[in-house]
Amino acid sequence: MRIVFVGPPGAGKGTQAQRLKDYLGIVHLSTGDMLREAHQAGTDLGREAASYFQVGKLVPDKVVVGVVAERLSKADCADGCLFDGFPRTVAQAESLDAMLANQGMPLDLVVAIEIPHEEVYQRLASRGRPDDNVATVQQRLGQFHALTEPLAEYYERRGILRRVDGTGSPEQVFERIKRVIELTKQPSN
Ligand code: ADP
């Protein structure tokens, strides 16, 4: 299966993606992790990406799409892939469509993990990543509204969007996601 996780910062995409990749035995592709790794490795791309993510802005589509395309071309992605935090703009979604079409791999499911805004601040305050301070989180939420939320409609029109309530314990959220996955695997149920 090829699955996309979309949701505001702090929605639990990373936590749920870890669980789901083990459950389904597919590759987990987190653009946030990949960009932070590139930054730690000190590459030019990493430096460029950091100048955006450190202030809560989305990294330019071209940069992110390049990183994803390279990763997607590796053999381990052939059997399935879980995209965590990508696409985040309609342009990225269009690029992903093109990449997948090229390789004859359809996208099966987009899971939108939804949480109220108040909860975003509470959750990120306790996580403590360098880009989790109030000003940056505000900026990231603004970017989410302006650029990422329109993706829901993009995928809804295609009939592959499923909304999942992201509140409650990680176990509860994972149960909801598993239900959606099973329904996608067996649409008759
Ligand atoms: P969160 O979901 O909590 O914002 P991520 O690790 O997914 O955390 O992303 C961290 C940062 O990395 C984002 O704020 C953004 O700057 C950058 N980033 C990650 N994925 C993308 C993407 N697909 N497009 C643009 N920027 C991205």
Side-chain angles (χ1 to χ4, degrees), residues 13 31-32 36 53 57 59 85 88 92 127 129 140:
K13 297 184 296 290
T31 42
R36 281 186 292 275
F53 69 64
K57 293 215 166 107
V59 173
R88 258 167 150 111
Q92 289 180 20
R127 186 166 73 178
R129 215 169 64 195
R140 282 155 67 199

Side-chain angles (χ1 to χ4, degrees), residues 7-11 13 30-33 35-36 49 52-54 56-61 64 68 84-89 92 124 127 129 131-132 136 140 143:
K13 297 184 296 290
S30 158
T31 42
D33 287 349
L35 297 171
R36 281 186 292 275
Y52 295 93
F53 69 64
Q54 284 170 344
K57 293 215 166 107
L58 289 188
V59 173
D61 291 334
V64 181
V68 172
D84 159 11
F86 178 89
R88 258 167 150 111
T89 64
Q92 289 180 20
L124 295 185
R127 186 166 73 178
R129 215 169 64 195
D131 60 336
D132 284 344
T136 308
R140 282 155 67 199
Q143 299 260 286

